[in-house]
Amino acid sequence: MRRIYSPTVGAESWQSLLADPVKHWRTGYSARTLAHCWEAAEGLPPEIASLFGADAELLIAIPEHKVSLRDAGRESQTDVFALVKSNNRTIAVAVEGKVNESFGPTIREWYVDPSPGKQQRLALLCDLVGVKCPPPDDAHYQLFHRTASAVIEADRFKTDDAAMVVHSFSPVNRWLDAYAAFLNLFGVAT
């Protein structure tokens, strides 16, 4: 994983950072929509700023930020990793963009006949996010590793807090129920 980041020159700069720059860079899909939104905001997009308070300030945003999950498995590629300052606190924020795409496989689908590596990863993710292992079968695996990314980066950057935010552009709140179920694991209601 590289540790040197270069500034963007607009939304189009984000395309080359994608796992599949052709497939994932389409009008109406999250990667492109998120890039245009964040670039146009020149700071925190208003809907994200509102989550952190009136004085929320974007310190840095890194598109398609890869985070090692402290095991031999694949890194978690966060759509946007941001350091946000609010109320004299610094927050490590993992942002997952969505339009109509799902959160991918559920734990049940991802954990079929788990290898020792998958068993180790799931235990690690649950430990990092503070959820009993194994988590509910219908929870989405992606939400666990994105949240763990925020926790890991909060530790690495010595921030006060960590947050995982889904930046949704769905006009019909698609997948809100899946996100709400995930938040419910932490006693958070939507």
Side-chain angles (χ1 to χ4, degrees):
M1 173 174 18
R2 297 186 180 251
R3 300 275 185 226
I4 298 174
Y5 298 94
S6 61
T8 64
V9 292
E12 303 302 318
S13 299
W14 297 40
Q15 183 178 6
S16 66
L17 304 171
L18 296 167
D20 185 335
V22 175
K23 179 182 175 185
H24 297 148
W25 193 257
R26 296 185 293 174
T27 300
Y29 286 79
S30 61
R32 192 168 193 274
T33 304
L34 191 74
H36 282 277
C37 176
W38 278 71
E39 288 284 344
E42 296 184 12
L44 284 171
E47 58 276 19
I48 300 301
S50 69
L51 299 172
F52 297 102
D55 69 337
E57 173 190 4
L58 177 65
L59 301 177
I60 189 171
I62 304 170
E64 300 301 327
H65 181 61
K66 293 180 181 177
V67 178
S68 170
L69 296 178
R70 301 178 179 167
D71 64 10
R74 280 185 31 190
E75 299 160 324
S76 181
Q77 188 160 334
T78 304
D79 294 339
V80 177
F81 172 71
L83 291 176
V84 174
K85 185 108 176 156
S86 180
N87 298 318
N88 292 318
R89 297 180 72 76
T90 305
I91 307 132
V93 184
V95 179
E96 178 63 29
K98 291 293 177 201
V99 177
N100 289 314
E101 305 94 333
S102 78
F103 289 113
T106 62
I107 296 294
R108 178 185 309 109
E109 295 161 342
W110 177 79
Y111 205 64
V112 173
D113 296 322
S115 65
K118 277 191 176 184
Q119 292 173 24
Q120 177 187 0
R121 173 160 283 194
L122 187 60
L124 171 71
L125 294 177
C126 289
D127 183 55
L128 283 167
V129 304
V131 172
K132 183 182 172 198
C133 192
D137 280 348
D138 58 347
H140 289 265
Y141 170 69
Q142 184 183 58
L143 295 172
F144 282 87
H145 68 84
R146 286 295 184 273
T147 304
S149 294
V151 172
I152 289 167
E153 293 301 78
D155 181 57
R156 187 164 74 103
F157 285 97
K158 307 295 184 228
T159 66
D160 300 299
D161 300 300
M164 192 281 286
V165 174
V166 175
H167 193 167
S168 177
F169 300 93
S170 172
V172 295
N173 292 323
R174 190 143 191 228
W175 301 105
L176 178 60
D177 56 339
Y179 186 53
F182 179 73
L183 293 177
N184 192 47
L185 296 174
F186 306 95
V188 177
T190 56

